[in-house]
Amino acid sequence: MSGELTEGVIKVIIREVGEECAAKGQAVSETLVAFMVKAVVLDPRNEFNVDQILTKRDVQHLIQLCVTRLLDTTNPSLSTIKMQVYFDMNYANRAELLREQHRVLEGRLAPLVRDITDSRPRLQDEMMKVYQMIVSYMLLSSGLGSPTDIEVVREVTAALQSIFPQTALGAFISLSKKEKEQQLKNLAMLVTGIRLFNRECGKGGKGVDDLPAILNEVLPSATRTIEDSLNTCHELAHCYTALLESMHEDQHRHRQLSSFKLKEALFNVRQYEAFLCILMSDAITVAQEVEKMNVQFATTMEQLKNTVQNKVSVDTKEVFPLFVAICNMWTGFQNELLLLSFLSNMTNNLQQFLEAQSQLFPEEVLTSLLEGVTVKTDEERIRETMGTRVNISDFENQEWLFPETAADFDQLLIQYHGFCAYAIGVKGLTLPGNPAIGILKHKDRCYVFSSKESAYIFAQDPDKFIQLNVEKAKEHAELIHLLELHHHFEYLAPYTQARSADKSLMKPTTKRDSSTQTDTHILPPSIVKSYEWNEWELRRKAIKLANLRRKLTHAMQTDLSHLRRENSTQVYLPKDVSTQTKRENSSNVPRPQIFLAGLRGGSSAATRMVKVDLTRPVDET
């Protein structure tokens, strides 16, 4: 099947799956449908082969399977996939989020900036209008106060007039477009710094919120919310892990619990835990940045107060950099507040993907299932294995890493998100690995284990257990993202590319252009220009040299010639010009002929020159 035809089939499948789900009252996004199609095709139990052409019957079967899984809202696996798609589509790190916020702000201010930079005022009213637009830009770019509040506008106008009076508008208009834009940004930072300084002195600051105080109040609450969600998530993960272990140990328990979808529930809470850890890390970074900026802001403000000290006039070279620094730090407070709000929204929105947990395992049901079962936390499991480690001498061809042998031990990239590489494929459990047991480095990838026994079994045939983990991920597609197994499924579109629904789910034909080049001269050139292969040419050169040996060049100079030199002049050649008149006529004039005699000198020392005019008279011609 050609690539275009394959993409067309995939588009049809996604569209039909979405339409059927919508007809049954379940709205799904194209991204979710595309990933579900990928999950169904991957599952070996569905017997799809990505290397073969999908028949019409296969397409209908694929559509029905996708619709069935998308409508099963009680399945934790669907909730996990929805959570992964949501997080991938909405999460952004600090740099990306701030870059997007800056782009949005510039987009909002672009029309106003264009009006200011493109204006060519001539009359006084037009000048006033441009100045008012500059005031609006100062207010909107800072985000301090409402542009409809008259007191705020007056305060911004007063701050602007102190550094940029209306009389300076003429010089501003004469600047180029880029220079105008840069000056607007500089003025905005200075005006913001002046307003914040006035607010600190109690002389202004209308509409300016106390961002440091707000952040100090909101940060503990946001961090506590994430911590509470993490604790709940940990408790559920420990309970599900204990129940799954009891199923492997007791066949009666296996029959009793096999219908509860415990593995899917465990993968759901583990993925939720992973996302919460990312948000917690970002929240901690926000807290550290806020703490650092609080100190810097207080120090800079105190330095500015000491510089001004109720002076009537202050050197701009001293205070302007301080105003700009205060503005930049206040912008940093605004950014951290934006990041904190984003993290809080992400935390709240992720909670909806745990609803299937409460439906499958209400508190009383989970309590009854845990009777007689020992629940261990991740910390307890790691603590139990702290005294054990693998013996390197037992493995000749395997490389093991330990804290004392690896300089960057804590920075190693552990596979499977730090879970035991043996328990995933064999037991279907996500047990925390203990690096102290030893990290196995196999084919440039590092693996950890939950026990010494698991490490020894895995090390006997790592490729076998790695393939078992891949097969387990095919059965439970949510493990691809949870265990970071994208490199095993490179022929399938990752989440970030699944936003465009035209991505092919079939393995494409591998094609590429290649070329090779051989150097013409590998060694540096050593060509002798004087070399001749022709014997007769060599003879001619020999005869020349023999003749030159008998040749001499003579030269002499006399008293009359040593001061002479060759001269050359350049003239414009005459042009042929002709005109035509009604009457033809001609005339002939005598050609001047003058003869100068005696120029070559004579027997006497003095030169006597005789000039003879031989030109014929006009009447003789």
Side-chain angles (χ1 to χ4, degrees), residues 13 29 32 58 65 68 74 104 110 113 163 166 189 209 244 301-302 335 356 398 412 422 461 501 586 607 609 616:
I13 293 173
S29 64
L32 178 60
D58 293 336
L65 288 175
T68 302
T74 61
V104 171
V113 173
I163 58 174
Q166 296 184 16
M189 289 190 290
D209 297 326
L244 286 169
M301 188 64 73
E302 187 65 27
N335 292 337
Q398 301 289 356
L412 292 176
Y422 171 79
D461 192 356
S586 63
T607 302
M609 184 186 71
R616 297 178 64 185

Side-chain angles (χ1 to χ4, degrees), residues 89-145:
M89 296 287 289
N90 293 275
Y91 174 77
N93 55 33
R94 286 178 60 90
E96 292 174 351
L97 188 63
L98 296 180
R99 193 183 308 115
E100 179 64 17
Q101 175 66 14
H102 181 68
R103 187 190 64 80
V104 171
L105 180 60
E106 285 192 343
R108 292 176 180 174
L109 294 175
L112 182 58
V113 173
R114 195 181 307 113
D115 292 341
I116 296 174
T117 56
D118 294 345
S119 61
R120 295 291 184 269
R122 299 181 181 277
L123 303 177
Q124 186 64 29
D125 294 341
E126 295 175 349
M127 289 280 193
M128 182 62 67
K129 184 178 180 181
V130 173
Y131 197 82
Q132 290 174 354
M133 287 192 293
I134 295 176
V135 172
S136 300
Y137 176 85
M138 301 294 113
L139 181 56
L140 295 174
S141 62
S142 64
L144 303 179

Side-chain angles (χ1 to χ4, degrees), residues 460-507:
Q460 292 176 2
D461 192 356
D463 293 329
K464 169 188 172 182
F465 292 101
I466 291 173
Q467 187 59 34
L468 284 177
N469 296 336
V470 173
E471 295 299 325
K472 184 65 67 175
K474 290 180 179 180
E475 296 178 5
H476 304 277
E478 60 270 26
L479 288 178
I480 298 175
H481 190 82
L482 174 61
L483 303 181
E484 300 172 353
L485 297 175
H486 300 293
H487 57 280
H488 289 288
F489 305 94
E490 293 179 351
Y491 57 89
L492 295 177
Y495 301 159
T496 52
Q497 296 179 3
R499 300 176 188 181
S500 56
D502 58 347
K503 296 295 180 183
S504 171
L505 293 181
M506 295 302 168
K507 185 174 182 179

Side-chain angles (χ1 to χ4, degrees), residues 354-379:
L354 285 184
E355 294 177 356
Q357 302 283 343
S358 58
Q359 296 177 8
L360 283 176
F361 303 100
E363 187 175 352
E364 57 276 5
V365 174
L366 189 60
T367 303
S368 63
L369 293 176
L370 288 172
E371 291 182 0
V373 178
T374 302
V375 179
K376 297 181 181 179
T377 65
D378 292 345
E379 292 76 13

